[in-house]
Amino acid sequence: MSKSTTIACTRCAVAVPRPADVQWRPLWDAGWRWLGSQNLFSCPDCPPLIVVDSEGRHTRGPGLLP
């Protein structure tokens, strides 16, 4: 099964091209956040689904809170 050629924001569905495996930094720098193992992505305009705390742990962000 091939990977999708785009990633889409889980909340608003805006999509961008999926970068090559080692080229994710520009998306991170642009404000995209993700937890790829759960296929969760948030664009710069939506509340982040995942946040990284000061110890490097990934936790639920405001985009996943009820």
Side-chain angles (χ1 to χ4, degrees), residues 5-57:
T5 59
T6 61
I7 62 168
C9 179
T10 303
R11 292 188 62 123
C12 73
V14 69
V16 295
R18 178 181 289 274
D21 289 335
V22 295
Q23 301 296 324
W24 289 89
R25 182 76 185 190
L27 282 180
W28 185 268
D29 290 345
W32 281 83
R33 298 295 181 259
W34 58 84
L35 186 58
S37 63
Q38 294 185 25
N39 204 32
L40 295 173
F41 298 91
S42 59
C43 72
D45 293 331
C46 288
L49 301 172
I50 304 297
V51 294
V52 180
D53 69 15
S54 62
E55 295 180 19
R57 294 177 296 212

